[in-house]
Amino acid sequence: AEYMGALRPPILELLSEYDMDLDLNPTTIFARLSEDQRQRLYLANVPQDALASHPSMAPLMAEVQDKVVSICESFIASIHRHVSIVPYGVRWLCKRMVHHARSIQPDFSADATAMLLGETFFRRFVIPAIITPEPFGVIADAPISAQARRNLTLIAKVLQGVCSLAPEKVLKEPYLAKLAARVAKIRLDGLFAELVDVVEPDVALAALPDEDLRLGRPDISVLSVPQLVAFHELLASSLTTLHQTHGATHPISKPLDRLARLPELAAAHDHRTFYVFAVGSSSDDIGFVDEKAFAFTSQPLQDPDQGAVLLAAERLRRVMTGMSLDYQFRGRFSRSILEAKLGDAAAADPVAMAVIAETIRALERLPAKFSQGDFAPLFVVMLQEHTRREEYRAFVQALRRKLLLVLADVAAATAAVQAEQETCVQYRRQTKIRALLDRHEDKVSTFLSQFHLTDLDKRQEAIAAFLATLKGALLADPMWVTEGALATDVGAVMLEKFVMTRLFDAAFVTETAAKPRLSIVPWLTTLLTIEPTDPALQIHERFLGEAPWSLAQSEIRKINAYKAPADKMRIVRNTAKVIMELLSLSGVVPGADDVFPVFVYVLAHAAVPMLSENAIYIERFGSQQLQPEDSYWLTQLQTCLHFMRELATQRGAAV
């Protein structure tokens, strides 16, 4: 039935939480915890029978209880919002049941009314549709997992407790006691008051038009004879249970007795007749109304033109989804627009041309009443279909968001695995390089001993020639063949790092032989007090927000921790990238003129010992391996150092 659609939004929302488990059993909650969580909550060694009373379990159970109560309230709120589309016959029958109960028992209380309507409407109609929504037409295109089915069953059980006004009798398990106390505060009086607030049938009949020209389901409906017979059989099957729990004078007994005549009367009527009480009078007799007299029914109208309308709507929707309308056509639609687009697509897109042509043919077959007003009635049908699918689209979008989160987690895990894989590959290659150098240790030792005797201006050529020899040996090594041709450059860089690390003490020459290592030159100390606003730097004021650029200073200070020219150059490049990233926080992409003065300030305040020697060392022994970007930043470093010397000289420092 259409009114069961009230359950669709909360059910779809619950199904979108595909990993949610609402089971309040302490043993189940304990099983969901990881070993680390059990240790942190001191639950690892707690016996199962003592879990419910453990202090660490209370907040976990309270969290699940909050979810259960929130979901139940969303179900009740959705049902309350959709009370107006409950079939008229069901609402009027509930109204008559309450009326008879109060006529029999004048002091029939509000709680008794809630119990009666909860037993009739909620327990017989709503709760079964929550447990198994598929046969009730609530959802037809969303899968329900076993876990989601258990969640729905629990929600139905809690709602049954709410309707009974005694949830402790329904939620009997000890660990559900606190939940029962919470749901006992939920009241359905407002929902039930609106449910039975309907006019009498004679008033409803008088308000109906002679003819219904709309497609789709109407706003008012009553029960057909077969539907009412099925409803009577459902209530009659529970009469014994009702007598056992509420006594033989239960208010529903009299309406059931009156409805007992239905099966024998139904034989003389078919599905085209509809049942009402006391049509046109205050009598309690059963009456039947012809289908034509009661035009609004709970069944969709069988319009002979419905197939053509739906076909045209589907094709028009497809065309308009992929068609960009020019500005002069926006806000209105006509067949001429399709014909114009058909001409445009004739040469450029044969597939689009065929789709547009078929759409025009479908529009030509429409009845005249759907072609009026630039096909306005057709757009009404399309809008109704769009609205009907809105809840399912919301479900799909929520599921898509969750899938994107899962995809992000998978991507992060994949990146972590790839990083670990790259680390393993690097370690394997380094091991092979070490093994190669061990096999050529005699050549390496000889070169190191002769390197001290080589002239300074010839050392660069000597290192290049020796590295070329080792690279040839590497390419001929059987262990390296399995790495592939792409790993040749990687192997050459590794060889350079290993060799230059051992040659560092001889290759790294300070400006003055007597000057101790890791000392700061005197002229550099003159610039330690320079400010970002110093006129000599000319740093634009929009970049001063991130001063003093401490991250860049920390990065350049790492340069003396490495010995290979490639590693030292990597520190220079990273420092420049950090500066550019910090400057871009101002909202402006920095240029070379913006980076240079900040680079000078960072180098001055970082006070890196032997910074000039590092620049010379990189240029002499690493320039052959430098990429164009590295060459640029090395030039920037050297230019900054030259500028700093000139600035220190101007301010009285001895250089």
Side-chain angles (χ1 to χ4, degrees), residues 447-456 459 463 499-510 517 563 617 620-621:
F447 177 76
L448 291 176
S449 61
Q450 296 176 352
F451 185 77
H452 294 277
L453 305 176
T454 306
D455 294 337
L456 292 178
R459 288 184 175 183
I463 291 176
V499 172
M500 293 307 301
T501 299
R502 298 183 65 175
L503 288 174
F504 179 75
D505 290 335
F508 192 86
V509 180
T510 58
R517 293 282 178 89
K563 296 183 177 181
Y617 176 69
R620 285 182 177 177
F621 302 108

Side-chain angles (χ1 to χ4, degrees), residues 8 10-19 130-134 138-152 389 392 395-396 399-400 403:
R8 189 176 296 114
I11 288 180
L12 291 178
E13 180 66 24
L14 190 147
L15 295 183
S16 66
E17 300 286 344
Y18 61 93
D19 56 348
I130 294 177
I131 299 175
T132 55
E134 301 93 336
V138 178
I139 58 173
D141 41 14
I144 301 180
S145 63
Q147 181 58 56
R149 187 78 68 182
R150 289 192 291 269
N151 291 341
L152 289 174
R389 301 284 295 176
Y392 179 66
F395 163 71
V396 173
L399 192 59
R400 178 179 179 274
L403 290 177

Side-chain angles (χ1 to χ4, degrees), residues 101-339:
R102 289 174 178 171
S103 64
I104 297 172
Q105 186 177 346
D107 58 346
F108 200 67
S109 64
D111 287 349
T113 301
M115 290 177 64
L116 173 61
L117 296 178
E119 182 73 25
T120 306
F121 178 70
F122 249 86
R123 188 173 180 182
R124 303 302 172 184
F125 286 91
V126 176
I127 291 178
I130 294 177
I131 299 175
T132 55
E134 301 93 336
F136 290 88
V138 178
I139 58 173
D141 41 14
I144 301 180
S145 63
Q147 181 58 56
R149 187 78 68 182
R150 289 192 291 269
N151 291 341
L152 289 174
T153 303
L154 176 62
I155 295 300
K157 184 177 182 180
V158 175
L159 288 176
Q160 182 178 346
V162 173
C163 298
S164 68
L165 300 184
E168 67 278 359
K169 295 182 180 179
V170 179
L171 307 173
K172 301 178 181 179
E173 293 80 354
Y175 57 84
L176 296 179
K178 292 185 178 180
L179 177 63
R182 293 185 60 177
V183 300
K185 302 177 182 179
I186 301 177
R187 301 290 299 182
L188 303 177
D189 297 339
L191 189 155
F192 289 145
E194 190 172 343
L195 178 68
V196 299
D197 185 15
V198 290
V199 299
E200 293 301 315
D202 53 344
V203 179
L205 286 171
L208 292 176
D210 295 334
E211 188 178 7
D212 180 28
L213 299 178
R214 298 173 303 165
L215 286 175
R217 297 180 182 271
D219 299 329
I220 304 175
S221 60
V222 295
L223 290 178
S224 66
V225 171
Q227 290 172 335
L228 194 58
V229 170
F231 177 62
H232 169 263
E233 293 176 352
L234 179 65
L235 293 180
S237 63
S238 304
L239 187 58
T240 304
T241 304
L242 293 175
H243 286 172
Q244 292 175 353
T245 56
H246 301 284
T249 59
H250 191 277
I252 200 175
S253 301
K254 186 175 181 180
L256 280 176
D257 292 339
R258 294 176 57 248
L259 290 174
R261 296 177 53 208
L262 270 177
E264 61 183 73
L265 294 175
H269 301 84
D270 55 21
H271 65 280
R272 293 175 298 176
T273 53
F274 299 88
Y275 169 79
V276 294
F277 281 100
V279 177
S281 68
S282 58
S283 171
D284 288 338
D285 292 338
I286 296 175
F288 291 91
V289 179
D290 185 72
E291 178 184 30
K292 186 176 181 180
F294 217 124
F296 283 161
T297 73
S298 59
Q299 303 298 322
L301 298 179
Q302 299 298 322
D303 194 306
D305 300 320
Q306 188 172 7
V309 172
L310 296 180
L311 177 63
E314 188 275 331
R315 291 185 176 177
L316 185 58
R317 185 185 303 108
R318 179 180 176 184
V319 169
M320 297 189 69
T321 301
M323 182 175 65
S324 58
L325 297 179
D326 298 331
Y327 70 93
Q328 65 266 29
F329 293 134
R330 292 175 184 171
R332 58 191 180 91
F333 178 83
S334 65
R335 178 177 170 176
S336 60
I337 296 178
L338 288 180
E339 293 174 346

Side-chain angles (χ1 to χ4, degrees), residues 31 83 89 111 121 213 256 289 376 417 420 445 466 529 534 570 650:
V83 164
D111 287 349
F121 178 70
L213 299 178
L256 280 176
V289 179
V417 172
E420 293 292 338
S445 300
F466 182 67
T529 58
D534 194 296
R570 177 170 53 83
Q650 295 174 7

